[in-house]
């Protein structure tokens, strides 16, 4: 019986030692103790190409690969007002974040470096409809920034079996 | 005075030969209760009562329902009910291509998702006859061992939480273990971009390479984890109350464990020296000399000792490998650009790996179409749950909580 008390007190001495240690919990939403790494994947954005037009070419690669089937892309071919060349543009791009599993496969397969994930991990909203991202909201997300490191091109360069040593590993 | 435990005795335990295996004599051929006992036939000494433990019970570690038939406080029959977390993962995988299916298996064993990914990816690689490059193999091994430490941290925390307040007050050990688990999740987050459902592997290699400075962070974290692990050992290993709750409780006959297909620490705590990392090396385990801790007492305390030793061994393997990751690519195949990028040949394979809970296997049948015809996942936790009707008989309700915790089942994996 005495032994049990001694062992319990000894265990409590470890607890006391931990009282003085630095706090590791984060007092959200007031303060974050550490930033998410650059590869963190939370939201989505559709980036623009070098002419200021949406880079998406509505090829439906992301729609086909998405395991949850939450992406719907409708496209049409038209002439670019900037370059005058004809290519496909998305008419509507709907991404339902309610069922997203954040697997990054849409970024993995995108041929035109259009879709990227974001490190902004708060996705506020008051209804389920707020979590459905449209083409306009996705482009606004890209302008707002907080984009993850991984672009489709960087990801595939990192995974390339013929890449040279030390290439494509950063950050 | 602390009771002697076989694992602390210098004398080697007596062994008995059973079909080519040397098993500890003291716990082999134990009398086995009848799991199909008719409750009507049982004559209780005290008041008989049926007690439902779970599915919403904090110590069932998920949604397991245990129907206990009690004679006073002693259980004379236990029936586990599983399936509350059934998501039809195997059927889902039979409708997905090789690229799409990896994120799904993350959700099976949500405490160690990377091992689930590796089991599936290795099955596809065996079917395709693809060998990942050395850098990917070493990286995979490091990831698996980091995941093992994180998984055992969560187990140790919840196990001590079940034990009650004698270990430094209420949920102390639980919270400390989560603190250290968080450090390892930070490492995995820096590498893959996610904290839990990584999608870190793909057929033929890894999806992510090491970010700059990651190796130093791993070594610093290992130092800290090892330092803190000594604290938890000091709180538990010789703690009188911890020992009186675990020593001699839930003794598992090695023959029963083998018959039930139990694996991992549950099997090794009963004196069966079996570990796929050493016996059938995969990834880069052939390059390191994996030391397998084995205990011979078969009780909850022995399972606890095996898991603590496994954590130390995992730290050692990570330290060995992380300083010498070979240069080169991380993938053997072209990075996928569309959903059907991996073409499956017809055939069938089985691949088993050592997850923190035991042998995690994937059985795959393909007829040559892009999606497999049949995917079967062999979850080690299901086999651990199947031991409960034997181990719970003769134990009190408070002991059943400890027995269940010591088997470390993850119900997401049991129900799939």
């Amino acid at each position: 019986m005495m032994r049990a008390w001694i062992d319990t007190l000894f265990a409590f001495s470890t607890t006391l030692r931990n009282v003085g240690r630095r706090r590791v919990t984060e007092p959200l939403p007031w303060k974050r103790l550490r930033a998410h790494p650059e590869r963190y994947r939370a939201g989505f954005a559709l980036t623009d190409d070098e002419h200021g037009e949406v880079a998406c070419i509505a090829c439906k690669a992301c729609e086909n690969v998405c395991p949850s089937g939450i992406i719907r892309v409708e496209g049409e071919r038209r002439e670019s007002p900037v370059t005058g060349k004809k290519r496909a543009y998305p008419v509507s791009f709907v991404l339902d974040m309610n069922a997203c599993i954040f697997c990054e496969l849409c970024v993995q397969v995108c041929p035109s470096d259009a879709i990227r994930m974001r490190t902004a991990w708060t996705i506020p909203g008051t209804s389920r409809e707020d979590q459905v991202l449209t083409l306009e909201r996705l482009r606004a997300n890209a302008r707002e920034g907080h984009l993850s490191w991984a672009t489709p091109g960087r990801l595939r360069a990192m995974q390339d079996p013929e890449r040279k040593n030390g290439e494509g590993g950063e950050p | 005075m602390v009771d002697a435990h076989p694992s602390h005795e210098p004398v080697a335990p007596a062994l008995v030969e059973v079909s080519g295996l040397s098993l500890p004599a003291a716990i082999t051929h134990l009398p086995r209760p009848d799991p199909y006992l008719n409750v009507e036939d049982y004559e209780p000494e005290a008041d008989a009562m049926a007690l439902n433990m779970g599915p919403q019970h904090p110590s069932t570690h998920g949604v397991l329902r245990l129907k206990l038939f009690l004679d006073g406080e002693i259980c004379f029959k236990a029936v586990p009910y599983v399936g509350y977390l059934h998501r039809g993962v195997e059927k889902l995988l039979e409708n997905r291509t090789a690229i799409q299916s990896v994120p799904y298996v993350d959700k099976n064993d949500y405490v160690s998702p990377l091992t689930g990914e590796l089991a599936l990816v290795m099955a596809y690689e065996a079917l395709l006859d693809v060998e990942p490059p050395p850098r990917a193999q070493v990286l995979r091994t490091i990831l698996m061992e980091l995941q093992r430490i994180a998984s055992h941290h969560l187990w140790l925390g919840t196990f001590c939480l079940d034990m009650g307040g004698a270990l430094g007050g209420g949920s102390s050990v639980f919270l400390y273990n989560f603190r250290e688990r968080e450090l390892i999740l930070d490492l995995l987050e820096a590498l893959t971009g996610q904290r839990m459902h990584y999608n870190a592997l793909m057929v033929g290699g890894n999806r992510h390479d090491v970010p700059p400075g990651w190796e130093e962070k791993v070594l610093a974290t290992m130092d800290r984890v090892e330092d803190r692990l000594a604290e938890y050992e000091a709180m538990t290993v010789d703690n009188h109350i911890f020992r009186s709750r675990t020593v001699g409780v839930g003794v598992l006959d090695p023959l029963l464990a083998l018959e039930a297909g139990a694996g991992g620490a549950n099997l090794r705590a009963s004196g069966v020296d079996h570990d796929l990392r050493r016996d059938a090396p995969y990834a880069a385990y052939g390059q390191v000399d994996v030391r397998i801790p084995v205990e011979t007492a078969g009780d909850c305390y022995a399972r606890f000792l095996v898991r603590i030793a496994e954590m130390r061994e995992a730290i050692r393997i990570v330290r060995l490998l992380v300083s010498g990751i070979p240069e080169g690519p991380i993938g053997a195949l072209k990075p996928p650009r569309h959903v059907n990028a991996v073409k499956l040949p017809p055939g069938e394979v089985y691949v088993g790996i050592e997850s923190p809970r035991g042998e995690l296997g994937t059985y795959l049948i393909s007829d040559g179409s892009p999606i497999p015809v049949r995917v079967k996942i062999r979850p080690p936790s299901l086999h651990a749950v199947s031991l409960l009707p034997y181990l719970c008989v003769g134990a009190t309700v408070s002991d059943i909580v400890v027995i269940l915790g010591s088997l470390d089942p993850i119900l997401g994996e049991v129900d799939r």
Side-chain angles (χ1 to χ4, degrees):
Chain A
M1 193 60 208
M2 198 59 211
R3 180 65 204 263
W5 277 108
I6 293 167
D7 285 346
T8 306
L9 285 176
F10 177 76
F12 267 101
S13 73
T14 312
T15 310
L16 276 180
R17 205 179 319 152
N18 276 287
V19 169
R21 285 197 175 131
R22 198 164 56 85
R23 172 158 77 173
V24 291
T25 49
E26 305 199 341
L28 287 173
W30 296 283
K31 195 183 168 197
R32 278 193 65 81
L33 297 182
R34 55 177 174 259
H36 281 301
E38 288 185 56
R39 288 181 188 178
Y40 193 71
R41 36 189 221 252
F44 287 94
L46 268 184
T47 53
D48 292 349
D49 61 8
E50 64 271 22
H51 308 300
E53 299 176 293
V54 66
C56 175
I57 55 168
C59 68
K60 291 181 185 255
C62 50
E63 183 178 321
N64 291 331
V65 84
C66 180
S68 312
I70 58 163
I71 303 177
R72 286 284 173 275
V73 192
E74 299 296 332
E76 64 168 21
R77 281 184 72 82
R78 62 165 184 258
E79 217 166 81
S80 162
V82 186
T83 59
K85 284 180 188 158
K86 227 176 171 192
R87 73 161 170 101
Y89 287 87
V91 179
S92 81
F93 193 113
V94 181
L95 197 154
D96 185 358
M97 292 279 280
N98 289 307
C100 181
I101 57 173
F102 300 96
C103 62
E104 211 185 26
L105 285 179
C106 47
V107 182
Q108 172 83 45
V109 298
C110 181
S112 62
D113 266 11
I115 193 163
R116 283 180 75 171
M117 298 195 79
R118 302 177 76 210
T119 55
W121 52 278
T122 48
I123 315 165
T126 52
S127 68
R128 292 192 173 193
E129 285 73 34
D130 287 350
Q131 304 297 335
V132 180
L133 298 177
T134 56
L135 183 60
E136 290 73 36
R137 290 186 64 186
L138 284 163
R139 293 188 71 184
N141 280 351
R143 285 191 287 275
E144 203 181 287
H146 303 294
L147 296 177
S148 300
W149 168 80
T151 65
R154 280 180 189 165
L155 259 185
R156 289 196 293 264
M158 184 160 74
Q159 299 157 357
D160 194 354
E162 276 136 36
R163 74 149 206 237
K164 294 186 189 78
N165 283 345
E167 212 177 68
E170 53 278 343
Chain B
M1 192 54 213
V2 177
D3 308 322
H5 187 264
S7 62
H8 285 192
E9 283 174 10
V11 187
L15 297 175
V16 58
E17 285 279 329
V18 183
S19 54
L21 289 166
S22 294
L23 304 174
I27 58 167
T28 309
H29 294 300
L30 289 179
R32 216 175 270 190
D34 176 16
Y36 304 107
L37 175 78
N38 191 350
V39 181
E40 305 294 323
D41 297 344
Y42 183 82
E43 285 176 16
E45 288 171 22
D47 288 342
M49 180 171 72
L51 177 74
N52 275 299
M53 190 170 134
Q56 284 95 0
H57 191 280
S59 71
T60 53
H61 297 218
V63 277
L64 171 69
R65 176 177 159 221
L66 268 179
K67 194 168 189 187
L68 305 174
F69 295 92
L70 302 176
D71 178 1
E73 212 195 339
I74 309 292
C75 174
F76 65 89
K77 180 181 176 172
V79 186
Y81 291 87
V82 298
Y84 291 93
L85 219 52
H86 179 63
R87 306 173 308 288
V89 170
E90 291 175 1
K91 194 69 197 165
L92 279 168
L93 297 187
E94 287 159 22
N95 291 291
R96 300 285 186 280
T97 66
I99 294 164
Q100 287 177 307
S101 50
V102 179
Y104 277 98
V105 284
D106 274 341
K107 281 92 185 161
N108 279 351
D109 183 353
Y110 41 77
V111 177
S112 80
L114 280 169
T115 44
E117 280 183 26
L118 185 68
L120 183 77
V121 162
M122 275 175 56
Y124 277 116
E125 282 165 3
L127 196 62
L128 288 160
D129 203 11
V130 171
E131 178 81 8
R135 186 176 175 83
Q137 298 278 37
V138 170
L139 260 177
R140 280 179 179 187
T141 314
I142 295 170
L143 289 179
M144 292 311 128
E145 291 307 309
L146 286 176
Q147 188 70 83
R148 191 180 310 276
I149 301 169
S151 169
H152 282 355
H153 263 310
L154 194 140
W155 166 80
L156 180 60
T158 49
F159 187 55
C160 292
L161 185 69
D162 295 343
M163 214 68 72
L167 311 168
S171 51
S172 295
V173 186
F174 175 71
L175 290 174
Y176 301 157
N177 275 288
F178 264 67
R179 182 180 60 193
E180 266 68 77
R181 178 173 174 264
E182 200 73 1
L183 296 174
I184 295 167
L185 293 196
D186 283 346
L187 293 174
L188 297 174
E189 185 189 22
L191 186 89
T192 66
Q194 277 288 16
R195 305 183 68 75
M196 213 169 160
H197 301 309
Y198 307 103
N199 192 18
L201 309 181
M202 62 178 187
V203 180
N206 289 21
R207 286 190 66 240
H208 304 94
D209 206 345
V210 175
W214 191 73
E215 293 94 335
E216 291 77 47
K217 266 190 247 166
V218 170
L219 287 173
T221 306
M222 288 302 107
D223 289 345
R224 182 142 166 212
V225 166
E226 190 173 40
D227 180 47
R228 298 287 164 84
L229 191 57
E231 263 180 29
Y232 311 140
E233 274 187 293
M235 283 169 99
T236 49
V237 171
D238 279 329
N239 188 303
H240 185 82
I241 296 174
F242 183 84
R243 290 181 58 123
S244 54
R245 289 295 305 274
T246 51
V247 172
V249 174
V251 177
L252 175 59
D253 185 337
L255 292 176
L256 173 63
L258 288 167
E259 278 170 38
N266 301 338
L267 190 60
R268 292 192 281 276
S270 289
V272 185
D273 192 2
H274 172 78
D275 192 312
L276 289 174
R277 289 176 292 166
R278 182 200 56 199
D279 300 338
Y282 52 93
Y285 283 113
Q287 300 171 21
V288 282
D289 174 30
V290 189
R291 299 181 207 141
I292 309 300
V294 180
E295 293 285 337
T296 51
D299 54 4
C300 294
Y301 189 69
R303 292 193 272 277
F304 159 81
L305 290 177
V306 167
R307 289 209 175 87
I308 293 280
E310 268 183 21
M311 282 167 87
R312 290 202 178 284
E313 176 63 15
I315 292 171
R316 191 184 71 88
I317 295 175
V318 170
R319 278 193 183 136
L320 263 179
L321 287 175
V322 84
S323 47
I325 305 177
E327 291 290 321
I330 53 165
L333 302 175
K334 279 260 170 229
R337 297 185 76 117
H338 58 91
V339 64
N340 290 331
V342 175
K343 303 269 187 297
L344 296 181
E348 51 184 273
V349 292
Y350 173 81
V351 167
I353 66 162
E354 190 76 22
S355 99
R357 270 155 273 284
E359 178 174 346
L360 172 62
T362 306
Y363 190 84
L364 205 70
I365 306 181
S366 164
D367 63 352
S369 61
I371 55 174
V373 178
R374 178 79 176 96
V375 181
K376 165 85 177 85
I377 294 167
R378 181 211 187 270
S381 299
L382 178 65
H383 298 259
V385 166
S386 74
L387 293 169
L388 284 171
Y390 298 96
L391 294 186
C392 290
V393 173
T396 60
V397 177
S398 53
D399 279 348
I400 287 170
V401 171
V402 179
I403 292 168
L404 180 59
S406 77
L407 290 176
D408 190 21
I410 297 296
L411 272 296
E413 191 182 45
V414 173
D415 301 339
R416 312 197 287 297

